[in-house]
Amino acid sequence: MSTVAQRSFAGGEISPSLYARVDVVKYATGLRTCRNFYIKRSGGAESRPGLEYICETKYSNKRARLIPFIFNSDQTYVLEFGDQYMRVIRNGAPVEVSGLATWLIGTTYAEGDLVTHLGVNYYSKVSSNTGNTPASSPTQWYALTGTIFEIPTPYLEADLQELNVIQSADVIVIVNRNYPVRELRRTAHTGWTIPLVTFAPSISAPTSVSVSGGSGTTDRWVVTSIRIDSYEESLPSSVVGASSLATSGSPRTLTWTAVSGAQEYNVYKNINGVYGFIGVAGTNQFVDDGIPADSTDTPPVARNPFSGSGNYPKTAGYYQQRLGFASTANDPEKVWFSRTGFFRNFTTSAPLQDDDAVTFNLAGRRVNEVNQLVDLGQLIALTAEAEWLIQGDTAGILRPGEVNPKTQSYNGAATLKPILINDNALFVQARGTVVRDLFATIDATGNIGYKGTDLTVFADHLFKLYSIEDWDYSQIPNSIVWAVRSDGVLLGLTYLREHQIWAWHRHDTDGLFENVVTIPAGDEDDAYFIVNRTINGSTKRYIERMTTRKIDDIVDYIAMDSSLSYDGRNTGATTMTLTGGVTWAYTETLTLTASAAFFIAGDVGNQIHLYDANGDLVRLTITAYTSSTIVSVKPHKTVPVAMRSTARTTWTRAVDEISNLDHLEGKEVSVFGDGFVVGSPNNPKYPVYTVTAGSITLDKPYGVIHVGLPYLSDLQTLDIDSASGESMADKKKLVSNVTMFVEKTRGVW
């Protein structure tokens, strides 16, 4: 028999229904099992790194939702939305408050201000908050839990998974059919507010408009303000009228109160029941000497389509500098887009102008509920029934009267937000069990259309009886979509359409995955999860972050879940000096002196590890405590000359007890110390450590220790067979030799 080679795992785990399909390409690169391994961009398989414990959610008995907030590569946050609250995670830890000013009865507080009162920290829920004692004013003040920063929100637990969010700069727009539209605004790490959106121009109309001469209705005018920085136009002022016509011989002078932020003002005059443009005023005064009105240029018409129950939108999206909303309970097929450049302004003119707000319906064979709006260079509307291309005018511009929707396919989409990868979109098909991509194609006449591929057809066993509940995309390092399945299993999809790679893999843990988000962090993307675990008989929901495989030293690798780490390596200026030796052998008791207060009496039995420039290590066991700077030690070997009586900054404090493990109380845990397996419930060669009273005690001290829940990584190839010639499936095969190519691998069995 000739040699059989599998040079790639780029097919990922494939369905049992394909085990006999040696003829398909996926068989040659596929796997029978890919569990807690992921497929790399290059086609290899890599065991997934562990999950680092971040914190417990506020209410472990209730579900929560993670939402990413990305301002730039240095300012990224994970937002924990729970039952009527929001917390902020930054750099792998909850954001906390400190140094808050004491509440003062005479001070006026704005929404978002923070104070302390009677030992409790408070968040101001309203503006113009004066004289309301925090402890007895829950309408005005929101009490924080200790020092953890959080803000109140209106969103109930049952509605969290249906929150739809889109971000622009420091603002997230949040929509849900059960709530009015809100904006989450950030000004600092602890500066967040969540006000209702006012759908109107951002500049006020002029007030106190008056006209010279007698009042009446023969001539009538309205005035609008023009914003200084954006030229956005306000709604019209109240009508003012004169008793006679304005002429060159009998002009009329209009005056009004100047509007803050206005650069100029537009003046309109009534003609045959329509107010037409007559001129621009650079001040708060205008003279009409019989100027004819232009009825093709009229003032904005006030319009708020999202007012009142039944009119709150389900989804939102940005396109061509317009903010769009879609699918209210009263109008599930309707789409609304704002004025160009003015995201909260849905006013129109009569007749319609090119930059007016746009409204249209997507009527299909059945009720065509709009689930998502996607910008792929062109506007794509994903509905429950079909996928629509919104073509706009001949130049591809969306404007009133030029919508031109065209159906692309009839797969239908679920409510889960699509994932954008390069110029493609991935979406979950209606009913949640199929994942498809969507990409542009150009026909022979140059027309652009969109089509896609069923990405689950070769791994449908991963989706039968299950649906996708949440997902997000980690671009760097391996272009993986992380998807939470309805049963709490985590699926991964390595996706590179340009190389025709889509490979599924599955991941499990001691618990259930419920939510996932990814955010940029340095030169990689961090994936955060909410994991439902049973700890000491109680349900706990933990926020955990996937660790990295990009390490320089094996001691830093974490291959366990819900893990915490102890790192005793010195990173400061404190030095350690070893003295008192004669032969400097391991039989002598030496003196170790710290340059600053460091030691405690409880350090007896712990170790200090000294290193030289070549990485040579001496373990010094502390035998007696003298003071905070002096202890007695015994070396484990003869001390090298370079370490004798020399102050060194390269040292590590090694310990044999790890505490603060309360989140794993009662669990059997894996322990990795100084690059070696110390404890493992999955391997009888190692002892088993159980967390008791929040701690474990090891057999000896270690300088870098990781403790967490164990998991197994399994990778199994498919049966040896060939698509050409006679099948080998029913033949006996003797495998006498296996060659495996590995990279950065500690060990394989």
Side-chain angles (χ1 to χ4, degrees):
M1 177 179 169
S2 61
T3 299
V4 176
Q6 180 161 356
R7 307 186 189 282
S8 169
F9 301 128
E13 182 171 314
I14 67 172
S15 171
S17 61
L18 294 176
Y19 289 172
R21 293 294 309 277
V22 189
D23 57 313
V24 300
V25 175
K26 285 282 185 181
Y27 193 97
T29 59
L31 290 166
R32 184 183 298 268
T33 302
C34 190
R35 173 193 174 208
N36 289 323
F37 275 89
Y38 57 74
I39 306 304
K40 300 177 65 176
R41 294 159 57 95
S42 56
E46 203 166 57
S47 59
R48 76 160 171 89
L51 303 178
E52 173 190 13
Y53 174 79
I54 302 299
C55 62
E56 186 177 352
T57 61
K58 182 177 181 180
Y59 303 123
S60 259
N61 62 335
K62 298 180 180 181
R63 294 197 64 156
R65 165 92 182 271
L66 300 180
I67 292 176
F69 188 100
I70 304 166
F71 182 69
N72 56 38
S73 59
D74 297 322
Q75 299 181 66
T76 60
Y77 306 84
V78 171
L79 308 178
E80 175 195 336
F81 275 79
D83 188 23
Q84 296 188 298
Y85 75 91
M86 185 202 82
R87 290 180 169 180
V88 181
I89 294 170
R90 179 174 181 266
N91 294 336
V95 171
E96 299 189 39
V97 299
S98 62
L100 300 184
T102 301
W103 173 78
L104 297 174
I105 191 170
T107 301
T108 299
Y109 297 97
E111 181 181 0
D113 283 346
L114 296 163
V115 299
T116 183
H117 177 64
L118 301 178
V120 178
N121 299 317
Y122 290 90
Y123 173 95
S124 177
K125 298 167 65 174
V126 297
S127 294
S128 302
N129 189 357
T130 307
N132 300 303
T133 306
S136 58
S137 304
T139 302
Q140 290 80 24
W141 292 101
Y142 179 78
L144 307 187
T145 304
T147 59
I148 297 176
F149 173 77
E150 67 180 73
I151 69 172
T153 75
Y155 307 113
L156 299 174
E157 176 192 11
D159 298 315
L160 294 175
Q161 298 307 312
E162 294 301 321
L163 294 183
N164 201 316
V165 303
I166 54 170
Q167 182 177 349
S168 175
D170 260 356
V171 177
I172 281 182
V173 177
I174 306 176
V175 297
N176 180 292
R177 275 186 178 172
N178 295 328
Y179 302 87
V181 180
R182 289 182 179 266
E183 288 181 341
L184 179 64
R185 295 177 169 271
R186 182 203 73 130
T187 55
H189 300 323
T190 57
W192 300 77
T193 56
I194 188 167
L196 291 168
V197 176
T198 300
F199 290 104
S202 59
I203 188 168
S204 301
T207 58
S208 303
V209 183
S210 62
V211 61
S212 61
S215 62
T217 59
T218 303
D219 257 345
R220 288 169 287 170
W221 299 265
V222 294
V223 184
T224 62
S225 309
I226 306 299
R227 188 175 176 123
I228 191 170
D229 53 353
S230 63
Y231 280 82
E232 183 178 14
E233 188 173 11
S234 74
L235 294 174
S237 67
S238 56
V239 177
V240 62
S243 58
S244 58
L245 291 175
T247 64
S248 57
S250 179
R252 293 289 181 267
T253 300
L254 301 170
T255 58
W256 53 88
T257 300
V259 176
S260 176
Q263 175 168 291
E264 55 193 33
Y265 304 86
N266 286 351
V267 183
Y268 301 86
K269 184 165 63 176
N270 185 283
I271 175 174
N272 298 325
V274 175
Y275 284 90
F277 179 76
I278 61 172
V280 176
T283 66
N284 60 331
Q285 181 174 297
F286 182 84
V287 177
D288 180 4
D289 57 359
I291 304 171
D294 181 1
S295 60
T296 65
D297 188 355
T298 60
V301 177
R303 183 167 169 265
N304 178 7
F306 316 115
S307 177
S309 178
N311 295 318
Y312 306 141
K314 175 182 184 179
T315 187
Y318 290 102
Y319 182 67
Q320 292 182 348
Q321 299 304 303
R322 296 178 185 264
L323 173 57
F325 297 97
S327 190
T328 64
N330 292 335
D331 285 303
E333 298 181 324
K334 187 166 286 188
V335 180
W336 298 263
F337 273 92
S338 70
R339 277 185 176 265
T340 304
F342 307 123
F343 298 146
R344 297 158 200 86
N345 188 335
F346 284 78
T347 60
T348 58
S349 309
L352 290 170
Q353 305 296 314
D354 285 350
D355 65 342
D356 278 349
V358 179
T359 303
F360 58 91
N361 269 55
L362 291 175
R365 298 177 300 177
R366 294 184 289 232
V367 175
N368 215 29
E369 184 172 342
V370 182
N371 286 330
Q372 297 292 340
L373 300 172
V374 185
D375 183 355
L376 285 179
Q378 291 185 293
L379 180 60
I380 305 294
L382 302 177
T383 74
E385 180 78 9
E387 294 73 62
W388 295 75
L389 169 62
I390 312 303
Q391 299 175 104
D393 63 15
T394 55
I397 306 301
L398 179 66
R399 54 191 179 92
E402 293 287 352
V403 177
N404 299 322
K406 183 179 180 182
T407 306
Q408 302 298 289
S409 57
Y410 284 96
N411 295 302
T415 58
L416 200 60
K417 190 172 184 178
I419 289 176
L420 305 184
I421 304 177
N422 295 329
D423 55 352
N424 304 332
L426 270 60
F427 68 96
V428 178
Q429 194 171 303
R431 289 166 291 285
T433 60
V434 174
V435 175
R436 306 188 70 91
D437 60 5
L438 194 67
F439 53 92
T441 60
I442 302 178
D443 63 20
T445 62
N447 293 321
I448 296 177
Y450 286 82
K451 67 178 184 179
T453 305
D454 180 349
L455 302 179
T456 60
V457 65
F458 295 119
D460 60 357
H461 67 298
L462 297 176
F463 300 90
K464 288 178 180 177
L465 304 179
Y466 306 113
S467 59
I468 301 298
E469 291 196 341
D470 196 25
W471 65 351
D472 209 344
Y473 174 57
S474 178
Q475 181 179 24
I476 304 296
N478 282 302
S479 191
I480 294 176
V481 175
W482 298 109
V484 174
R485 207 168 65 178
S486 54
D487 63 341
V489 169
L490 177 68
L491 301 180
L493 170 64
T494 304
Y495 179 85
L496 288 93
R497 167 153 286 281
E498 61 268 33
H499 297 293
Q500 293 298 299
I501 293 176
W502 62 88
W504 289 98
H505 30 95
R506 55 190 169 93
H507 307 265
D508 54 64
T509 185
D510 182 7
L512 304 175
F513 291 95
E514 291 187 343
N515 191 231
V516 57
V517 298
T518 65
I519 60 171
D523 57 359
E524 291 188 334
D525 293 329
D526 278 350
Y528 285 77
F529 304 89
I530 292 180
V531 187
N532 183 329
R533 303 191 185 278
T534 300
I535 305 296
N536 220 15
S538 299
T539 296
K540 298 290 184 180
R541 285 183 167 88
Y542 295 154
I543 298 175
E544 302 181 22
R545 175 176 63 178
M546 186 171 287
T547 59
T548 180
R549 289 187 62 104
K550 190 175 181 179
I551 57 172
D552 296 322
D553 192 331
I554 189 63
V555 303
D556 295 314
Y557 184 57
I558 299 174
M560 57 200 72
D561 290 343
S562 203
S563 65
L564 282 182
S565 300
Y566 166 79
D567 191 341
R569 289 172 290 194
N570 179 45
T571 58
T574 301
T575 62
M576 295 287 177
T577 305
L578 192 60
T579 59
V582 178
T583 65
W584 297 89
Y586 66 91
T587 56
E588 287 190 320
T589 297
L590 308 176
T591 298
L592 186 65
T593 303
S595 62
F598 178 79
F599 301 112
I600 60 174
D603 278 329
V604 174
N606 290 335
Q607 295 177 347
I608 298 295
H609 296 173
L610 293 184
Y611 302 86
D612 65 13
N614 298 319
D616 195 10
L617 164 66
V618 174
R619 298 185 183 93
L620 306 171
T621 301
I622 300 174
T623 59
Y625 170 81
T626 301
S627 69
S628 61
T629 58
I630 300 174
V631 292
S632 298
V633 298
K634 274 198 171 184
H636 85 291
K637 68 177 184 179
T638 300
V639 178
V641 174
M643 297 186 188
R644 301 173 185 175
S645 303
T646 303
R648 307 199 63 81
T649 58
T650 50
W651 54 268
T652 297
R653 178 179 182 263
V655 300
D656 61 1
E657 182 176 342
I658 303 297
S659 56
N660 296 321
L661 298 174
D662 305 82
H663 72 291
L664 296 177
E665 184 67 26
K667 286 290 188 180
E668 294 181 347
V669 293
S670 290
V671 184
F672 194 57
D674 292 344
F676 297 94
V677 176
V678 176
S680 173
N682 291 332
N683 192 330
K685 294 181 179 180
Y686 299 99
V688 174
Y689 293 98
T690 301
V691 177
T692 304
S695 66
I696 58 173
T697 301
L698 307 179
D699 60 332
K700 65 179 183 180
Y702 297 89
V704 180
I705 306 170
H706 310 296
V707 181
L709 298 172
Y711 59 89
L712 295 175
S713 298
D714 296 333
L715 185 143
Q716 185 179 7
T717 57
L718 294 163
D719 292 344
I720 296 174
D721 207 341
S722 173
S724 58
E726 187 179 2
S727 172
M728 292 185 287
D730 58 347
K731 303 296 188 297
K732 291 184 178 180
K733 295 168 279 289
L734 175 62
V735 179
S736 60
N737 187 284
V738 174
T739 300
M740 180 184 292
F741 289 90
V742 296
E743 178 186 16
K744 297 180 179 178
T745 299
R746 184 67 177 273
V748 175
W749 58 273

